[in-house]
């Protein structure tokens, strides 16, 4: 979920929504994954962030579920705006690109919990782990090759704590999304648990097809 600039989204900034300038009062869709809240450009990051948290709390309460942790997707956003969100209390941030995250992290507070949420090529695992000591979670492990690369990267970096990982599963069947086939989940989980002691399997990550009630 993002809370930067003039758009708040339950996904990340993407395409025209990221660059559009909104010059009208707040327009809302009903709370749903992928729903957008278009804000006035004058709204602060703190205001947008609090609005998103309020919406999440409302939906959680309506559904009778615990309030989930908000991971603010900060890809393509400058450190100045990330710092504003940090000052407003946000600590978990998500990034999609290794080069961008490795460039941002050293100049931001060390207690930020970085979540890597983009497609991770195995040959970039070493630079990601070495360049971001406070990398908290990799949510996009889609193959045993990627898991093994992260294991080797953690060993080389001398991480003291296991790196949390999630298996990314393609449940929607859409070509635009990535992840392993559901039938491969058990084998991947066994590989991580048995062959990758520097990793800690914390769950699955999947994105359903927008508008599909199933």
């Amino acid at each position: 979920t993002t809370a930067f600039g003039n758009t708040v989204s339950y996904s990340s900034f993407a395409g025209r929504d990221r660059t559009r300038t909104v010059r009208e009062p707040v327009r809302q869709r009903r709370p749903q994954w992928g729903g957008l809240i278009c804000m006035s450009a004058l709204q602060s990051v703190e205001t947008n962030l609090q609005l998103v948290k309020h919406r999440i709390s409302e939906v959680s309460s309506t559904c009778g579920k615990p309030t989930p942790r908000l991971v603010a997707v900060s890809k393509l956003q400058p450190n100045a705006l990330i710092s504003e969100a940090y000052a407003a209390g946000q600590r978990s941030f998500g990034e999609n690109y290794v080069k961008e995250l490795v460039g941002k992290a050293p100049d931001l507070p060390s207690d930020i919990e970085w979540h890597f949420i983009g497609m991770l090529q195995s040959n970039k695992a070493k630079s990601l782990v070495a360049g971001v000591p406070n990398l908290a979670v990799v949510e996009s492990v889609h193959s045993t090759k990627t898991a093994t690369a992260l294991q080797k990267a953690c060993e080389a970096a001398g991480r003291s704590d296991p790196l949390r990982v999630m298996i990314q599963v393609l449940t929607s069947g859409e070509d635009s999304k990535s992840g392993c086939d559901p039938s491969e989940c058990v084998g991947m989980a066994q590989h991580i648990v048995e062959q990758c002691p520097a990793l800690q399997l914390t769950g699955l990550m999947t994105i359903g097809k927008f508008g599909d009630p199933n």
Side-chain angles (χ1 to χ4, degrees):
T1 302
T2 59
F4 299 95
N6 61 357
T7 302
V8 181
S9 170
Y10 283 114
S11 56
S12 62
F13 281 121
R16 59 189 177 88
D17 289 316
R18 181 171 62 83
T19 57
R20 179 172 57 182
T21 299
V22 179
R23 303 183 185 280
E24 60 189 70
V26 176
R27 294 186 290 109
Q28 303 181 27
R29 295 180 187 175
R30 296 305 300 169
Q32 57 185 336
W33 298 115
L36 298 177
I37 310 170
C38 297
M39 309 295 297
S40 164
L42 297 178
Q43 294 274 39
S44 70
V45 169
E46 180 179 7
T47 299
N48 292 349
L49 180 61
Q50 295 307 320
L51 177 58
V52 170
K53 288 183 176 180
H54 178 69
R55 289 282 300 277
I56 292 173
S57 179
E58 280 188 330
V59 173
S60 299
S61 178
T62 299
C63 297
K65 301 291 185 180
T67 301
R69 176 188 292 113
L70 171 66
V71 175
V73 177
S74 52
K75 70 172 185 177
L76 305 179
Q77 302 303 316
N79 281 2
L81 291 184
I82 297 174
S83 296
E84 287 187 39
Y86 178 89
Q90 183 65 28
R91 291 296 181 270
S92 298
F93 293 87
E95 289 283 341
N96 288 62
Y97 308 114
V98 173
K99 184 177 180 180
E100 182 179 359
L101 177 52
V102 169
K104 284 178 173 178
D107 297 324
L108 289 164
S110 61
D111 63 332
I112 284 179
E113 287 194 351
W114 291 108
H115 291 233
F116 189 79
I117 60 176
M119 173 60 70
L120 179 62
Q121 298 175 328
S122 58
N123 63 351
K124 294 185 178 180
K126 185 175 181 179
S127 60
L128 174 64
V129 173
V132 189
N134 49 331
L135 179 66
V137 189
V138 175
E139 298 188 8
S140 49
V141 177
H142 60 284
S143 68
T144 55
K145 182 179 179 180
T146 301
T148 299
L150 285 169
Q151 167 66 26
K152 293 178 178 178
C154 289
E155 291 175 346
R159 280 183 63 107
S160 57
D161 297 321
L163 174 62
R164 289 179 286 158
V165 298
M166 295 182 181
I167 297 174
Q168 182 174 359
V169 188
L170 179 59
T171 55
S172 68
E174 296 173 278
D175 293 336
S176 60
K177 295 185 174 70
S178 302
C180 71
D181 188 86
S183 64
E184 300 173 325
C185 281
V186 173
M188 283 192 59
Q190 289 176 332
H191 175 79
I192 293 170
V193 172
E194 297 173 2
Q195 305 296 326
C196 303
L199 308 183
Q200 179 183 345
L201 180 62
T202 60
L204 307 178
M205 191 282 278
T206 190
I207 303 174
K209 185 176 182 180
F210 181 68
D212 185 347
N214 299 315

